[in-house]
Amino acid sequence: GMGGGGKTTLVMNIHNKIRGTQHFEVVIFVTVSRDWNIKKLRNDIAKKLDLDLSKKEDETGASTLLFNDLKRKKFLLILDDLWEKVDLEKLGVPTPKENNGCKIVITTRNRGVCNDMETDEEIVREVLPEREAWELFQEKAGSAISSDLEPIARDVCKECHGLPLAIIVVGRALRKETHMVVWENALRMLQNSQFELRGMEREVYLPLKFSYDHLETDTLRNCFPYCSFF
Ligand SMILES: Nc1ncnc2c1ncn2[C@@H]1O[C@H](COP(=O)(O)OP(=O)(O)OP(=O)(O)O)[C@@H](O)[C@H]1O
Ligand SMILES: [Mg+2]
């Protein structure tokens, strides 16, 4: 699914629902992300299992230790935000078999990664349907959307193309905004950015989102869209 489409939110919800039930002995959630490496990922997984890999000097030793621990367990492993193939064997994670009840769930923006990981089942995270998008937008923009602002507000919402992250950021930036001119500026900016986004997602959108994700506080996050509007 697309960036900001709700993949992490979805698997995090699954994690929280399933943890502590009888379905699996262990449920492990780890964030992989773009700048991952296999050693760190292995350590992250081991930490969740209270397994100490630090005594193993070489990669193979660490990998075997993890493998032998997981082999005995009915596990659910959630790997969030994969950008490329993760070699499970090198990592030390047994490949789930149909009869042992183990499962691995991955999320990625790139369908090719699913192929590389030889997934059995793929689910495309669809964008929000128009009605849900509008509800989320209203929730974020606050109660200020008067009847004369509603048509333009709906247009602004449409420019977010059902992407939760876009709806939240844009909605919040316009929260309790009563001046028509501000809404008009916002709409214009979004319409222009759509044009520029095509084919430039990596270069332009991702760094923007990256910096947005790393802003410390909600206050800063709220300021960010203003910088792009004006
Ligand atoms: N169904 C939803 N309803 C409302 N808000 C949502 C929904 N799904 C996701 N969000 C919100 O949208 C934002 C982005 O979601 P999330 O981080 O899960 O996207 P993602 O697909 O993991 O993105 P990325 O590819 O960048 O990792 C979050 O603030 C999240 O709370
Ligand atoms: Mg994510």
Side-chain angles (χ1 to χ4, degrees), residues 2-9 109 125 128 136 164-165 168 209:
M2 289 171 75
K7 299 179 295 298
T8 300
T9 310
R109 291 184 190 175
R125 181 83 181 115
L128 296 183
L136 180 60
L165 181 70
I168 291 169
K209 179 167 185 304

Side-chain angles (χ1 to χ4, degrees), residues 2-9 11 31 33 80-81 107 109 209 213:
M2 289 171 75
K7 299 179 295 298
T8 300
T9 310
V11 288
T31 307
S33 292
D80 187 38
D81 201 17
T107 77
R109 291 184 190 175
K209 179 167 185 304
D213 280 344

Side-chain angles (χ1 to χ4, degrees), residues 4-23:
K7 299 179 295 298
T8 300
T9 310
L10 186 67
V11 288
M12 191 61 103
N13 276 324
I14 292 173
H15 171 259
N16 294 343
K17 277 231 167 83
I18 287 189
R19 201 177 37 174
T21 67
Q22 303 294 308
H23 297 290

